Amino acid sequence: MPPTRQRRYGITFSAFSNRSRIRNSAISLPAPSPWGLTLTTIRAQLRSATPSPWACWIYSSAVRGAEPDDDHAFVVSATFNHLYRPEEDAPLWKTSLLTYNSFYNDEHDLNVNYHEISTGPGIKNDYFLWQNNLLATAIDVEHERYLDSWGFSSTLTSQLIDRFILTGKLRFEDKDNKRYAFRSAENYQATAQAAFLLDAARLAFTFGKEIESASNRLVSYDRVLMQLRFDTPLPYGIALYASATAKFTTYKKEDPIFAVKRDDDRHEVAVGLSKSLWQDQERHRNLLLALSHRYTDTESNIDLYSYRRNSTNLTLTYAF
């Protein structure tokens, strides 16, 4: 049988307006969710459940200790996926390339270019899908190298019984911070997800653990994540999702300024609607419109890191 190759291409152009506290937050990077909350989909997405925003408005309703800042950013991202499988029951090889570029209108030290490549073998049969990847990333801030990293991940998904899918993921990443050497770190992540299929709906619970061991223990942390997410189709081709997420982060060293070890508790509630405006199944092309709202409440024992935020996103995604 001659080799068969499956190719998927995706590209997303996006722009958004942001009203939030910029200076007191970390540089916004499209790093993959450390928890692998969903199965990888062949779509123009930043390897997460939500595509890049095409037009989005974000408002911070209550930022404690600081006035919200206004800014506008233009974001361009593109994803390329290639899947090679010689025969239907043979091992597969998957390669993904991602580029993400954000440019701010007012701030002049936050423009980010993010590039990632991942490649590796996988095994798929009637009982499970096991995907293993080597990965490398490069991050530039204001056209200067900010961080390089390399690592690997392994994801096992199994549907042993009808209507029940179990996914486990392990990920390691070695980060070399070029600008702040004390932030260079080894990052370890482990995730387990149980998903239940309820007719056309899907209910998933995710539990994750992350450990970041940095050169300076001041920025080293342990993090626990829990998420409950519900997806269901609605009439007229509309899909609905709702999720509740909790993250608990404990830093390993006492902050010398505040004389405490930093503890952050972050809670998020999100709801969204999406509708396919156009689809060509034969050519694997589609145009998707989505509207979502997210409420975030972060409580920290250091007030500087406590805030509340409401964000509304209008998303248009074209995948081909």
Side-chain angles (χ1 to χ4, degrees):
M1 179 181 294
T4 59
R5 295 176 175 84
Q6 301 179 36
R7 291 182 173 88
R8 299 290 187 272
Y9 306 89
I11 189 166
T12 301
F13 296 96
S14 50
F16 63 90
S17 173
N18 184 334
R19 183 178 182 181
S20 62
R21 184 178 61 184
I22 297 174
R23 287 297 183 180
N24 291 338
S25 62
I27 294 174
S28 179
L29 300 175
S33 171
W35 314 107
L37 299 178
T38 61
L39 300 179
T40 302
T41 57
I42 308 301
R43 187 171 290 180
Q45 299 179 356
L46 297 182
R47 298 193 302 111
S48 65
T50 306
S52 301
W54 171 77
C56 135
W57 174 69
I58 301 175
Y59 172 67
S60 295
S61 61
V63 180
R64 304 186 188 110
E67 290 296 326
D69 292 334
D70 291 302
D71 201 1
H72 300 270
F74 180 72
V75 178
V76 178
S77 65
T79 304
F80 170 86
N81 294 287
H82 176 258
L83 180 65
Y84 174 77
R85 197 177 192 188
E87 298 178 0
E88 187 66 26
D89 57 350
L92 58 89
W93 192 281
K94 182 178 179 181
T95 300
S96 298
L97 301 174
L98 165 68
T99 179
Y100 173 101
N101 308 274
S102 65
F103 307 97
Y104 286 81
N105 184 51
D106 298 327
E107 298 293 336
H108 300 293
D109 58 353
L110 294 178
N111 293 340
V112 173
N113 307 102
Y114 176 96
H115 311 286
E116 177 181 295
I117 180 172
S118 64
T119 185
I123 299 175
K124 182 180 180 181
N125 56 36
D126 294 336
Y127 302 100
F128 67 86
L129 169 62
W130 185 23
Q131 181 66 46
N132 300 276
N133 287 318
L134 295 175
L135 56 92
T137 63
I139 301 171
D140 294 333
V141 178
E142 290 297 322
H143 309 294
E144 294 184 1
R145 185 53 49 89
Y146 181 83
L147 184 144
D148 288 330
S149 71
W150 68 272
F152 58 85
S153 66
S154 181
T155 304
L156 179 64
T157 302
S158 178
Q159 186 172 0
L160 299 179
I161 60 176
D162 290 341
R163 300 185 179 277
F164 179 74
I165 301 173
L166 187 62
T167 302
K169 182 174 182 178
L170 298 175
R171 180 184 172 102
F172 167 80
E173 191 172 5
D174 187 290
K175 303 177 181 179
D176 182 12
N177 196 304
K178 303 297 186 180
R179 183 174 296 184
Y180 305 107
F182 70 93
R183 290 186 175 272
S184 296
E186 294 180 347
N187 185 276
Y188 306 87
Q189 302 162 18
T191 306
Q193 182 189 82
F196 303 89
L197 305 180
L198 313 171
D199 293 330
R202 184 175 185 269
L203 179 66
F205 174 75
T206 302
F207 178 83
K209 174 71 174 182
E210 178 184 2
I211 298 174
E212 176 125 321
S213 179
S215 300
N216 188 334
R217 286 178 57 83
L218 181 64
V219 292
S220 299
Y221 61 82
D222 291 346
R223 177 174 293 155
V224 173
L225 173 141
M226 293 180 289
Q227 184 188 68
L228 185 65
R229 175 171 172 138
F230 179 70
D231 296 81
T232 186
L234 297 176
Y236 306 105
I238 298 174
L240 166 72
Y241 88 88
S243 67
T245 306
K247 295 181 181 180
F248 306 99
T249 305
T250 301
Y251 288 79
K252 297 183 179 180
K253 186 177 179 180
E254 181 179 288
D255 190 298
I257 297 177
F258 299 97
V260 295
K261 289 184 179 180
R262 179 181 164 188
D263 282 308
D264 296 348
D265 293 344
R266 179 174 179 175
H267 300 87
E268 289 185 350
V269 178
V271 62
L273 296 170
S274 64
K275 179 175 175 60
S276 180
L277 302 180
W278 172 80
Q279 186 172 8
D280 186 341
Q281 294 183 352
E282 183 177 349
R283 297 185 178 182
H284 304 285
R285 298 178 180 179
N286 66 73
L287 184 66
L288 183 71
L289 180 68
L291 176 66
S292 65
H293 184 81
R294 182 181 303 272
Y295 172 74
T296 303
D297 186 348
T298 298
E299 295 283 351
S300 176
N301 60 341
I302 299 177
D303 287 342
L304 177 66
Y305 302 105
S306 296
Y307 65 92
R308 295 192 182 104
R309 181 174 62 195
N310 283 284
S311 62
T312 301
N313 300 272
L314 178 63
T315 306
L316 184 65
T317 301
Y318 175 62
F320 63 93

